Amino acid sequence: MLESFTGDDVPPHLRVPPPKPGPPEPIPPSDVEKVRYVLKNLARDWGAEAAEERLQSHGPILAELEARLPVPRPEEGKYPPRVLVPGAGLGRLVMECARRGYDTEGNEFSYYMLLTSSYILNHSERSGQFTIHPWIHSNNNHVSDAAQLRAVPVPDVAPCEAGIVPGCMSMCAGDFVEVYGQAEHAGQWDAVATCFFIDTAHNVVEYLEIISRMLRPGGVWVNFGPLLFHWADAHTYLGGEEMSVEMSLEDVEKVADSVGLDIVKREMRDSLYTADHRSMCQTVYRCVLLVAVKR
């Protein structure tokens, strides 16, 4: 995979530098953990056995988009609605929006996610082309050795075979606040779809302000996920102070209203996330499906 990201034709932010001479340097444990996390996300986003898990989280988002933001028929001669998917991860939700006819852009900050999503989206030629073993690094709660060592073919659907209109799917690398907080994005989007994303914020109020500012009047924000604020305990492992604004769902809704987003739907639903479906231990998130319309 890394060979595909070398050479002058690769964008600088994705280019892999040549190996240094001499013995290889030890890999930091934090980097090893990130690779393990990517493997689990590959199974979630692009493995057939995670189809039910994707249906739990991606399904409600896609249903709301299709109900509230229908794609015009070709004979109407209109541009498709523009949809942004922040925190796009490995790009499956981006592809699912694009294959339904939306002009979709994914946004991701993690280099590990960007590298892997770029490879899957741009280099997959057929379903099941690659084989991963995402559960091999954990020794807990396996019902058998075979379950722990089992292979997961990816992708279950090759993006090149998904029927996406050329030019209607893209990825943008960078921090959500830095990129989409720019004035050029104000009122330029028809929908923002967030899945397990808003709790990644240092300041969720800032996220909501940007989402509202990006949307045109009548635009739609569809959110699915918990409120497991990622930076809440950062001081315990980063050795310094990190800004973290945590709030209840009720307060998130009040902030949304204050920035011009009218909540029109609120439902609580259960969902797994990067789960080993054969494991003896399952973590189920009690997620909220929020749908808001920009005033």
Side-chain angles (χ1 to χ4, degrees):
M1 182 179 78
L2 293 180
E3 291 180 357
S4 301
F5 296 95
T6 59
D8 295 336
D9 58 330
V10 179
H13 66 279
L14 289 176
R15 190 178 305 150
V16 175
K20 298 179 180 179
E25 298 179 1
I27 301 173
S30 59
D31 288 347
V32 174
E33 186 55 39
K34 289 174 183 176
V35 172
R36 293 174 179 173
Y37 183 68
V38 167
L39 289 173
K40 292 177 182 179
N41 272 270
L42 269 173
R44 167 183 163 80
D45 266 21
W46 297 102
E49 69 174 49
E52 180 61 31
E53 182 177 313
R54 291 193 298 272
L55 186 62
Q56 292 172 353
S57 53
H58 294 178
I61 292 174
L62 295 168
E64 291 295 333
L65 287 176
E66 290 182 296
R68 301 176 185 276
L69 204 64
V71 175
R73 297 185 301 274
E75 60 268 23
E76 294 181 58
K78 298 180 180 179
Y79 288 109
R82 296 187 72 200
V83 177
L84 177 71
V85 182
L90 298 183
R92 182 57 180 259
L93 183 56
V94 177
M95 190 198 76
E96 292 297 340
C97 290
R99 76 191 301 193
R100 285 163 173 76
Y102 296 104
D103 183 358
T104 312
E105 180 170 296
N107 166 240
E108 179 56 49
F109 178 75
S110 166
Y111 180 79
Y112 294 83
M113 293 292 187
L114 286 166
L115 192 71
T116 309
S117 65
S118 178
Y119 192 73
I120 290 291
L121 293 171
N122 295 307
H123 296 273
S124 298
E125 298 176 351
R126 63 183 185 280
S127 61
Q129 183 175 353
F130 310 107
T131 301
I132 60 173
H133 299 265
W135 319 115
I136 198 171
H137 300 101
S138 171
N139 296 315
N140 298 323
N141 291 304
H142 293 292
V143 295
S144 67
D145 293 341
Q148 179 184 8
L149 301 175
R150 76 185 186 276
V152 176
V154 295
D156 62 323
V157 176
C160 64
E161 298 175 345
I164 297 170
V165 176
C168 280
M169 183 174 70
S170 62
M171 289 285 287
C172 174
D175 177 77
F176 171 71
V177 172
E178 292 181 4
V179 176
Y180 297 97
Q182 301 296 318
E184 64 192 74
H185 289 283
Q188 297 301 305
W189 296 87
D190 298 293
V192 177
T194 52
C195 184
F196 281 80
F197 174 71
I198 63 171
D199 54 2
T200 67
H202 283 277
N203 182 356
V204 68
V205 175
E206 188 174 34
Y207 269 22
L208 295 179
E209 288 175 338
I210 292 173
I211 289 171
S212 178
R213 189 160 59 245
M214 293 172 60
L215 290 170
R216 62 166 177 78
V220 179
W221 171 44
V222 185
N223 173 76
F224 186 93
L227 292 176
L228 183 64
F229 292 101
H230 290 206
W231 297 97
D233 299 318
H235 65 280
T236 63
Y237 57 86
L238 290 182
E241 292 297 324
E242 287 285 344
M243 181 182 188
S244 180
V245 176
E246 302 112 34
M247 60 181 64
S248 67
L249 175 58
E250 180 182 53
D251 288 338
V252 168
E253 294 177 19
K254 289 179 180 178
V255 172
D257 179 72
S258 72
V259 298
L261 295 170
D262 292 329
I263 305 294
V264 296
K265 188 171 188 176
R266 178 188 188 270
E267 293 181 2
M268 305 303 296
R269 302 194 183 192
D270 291 341
S271 180
L272 298 167
Y273 190 85
T274 63
D276 177 358
H277 296 267
R278 300 189 192 179
S279 172
M280 297 168 65
C281 178
Q282 302 287 341
T283 299
V284 179
Y285 292 91
R286 188 67 171 155
C287 298
V288 65
L289 171 65
L290 276 181
V291 182
V293 177
K294 170 71 176 293
R295 286 197 291 272

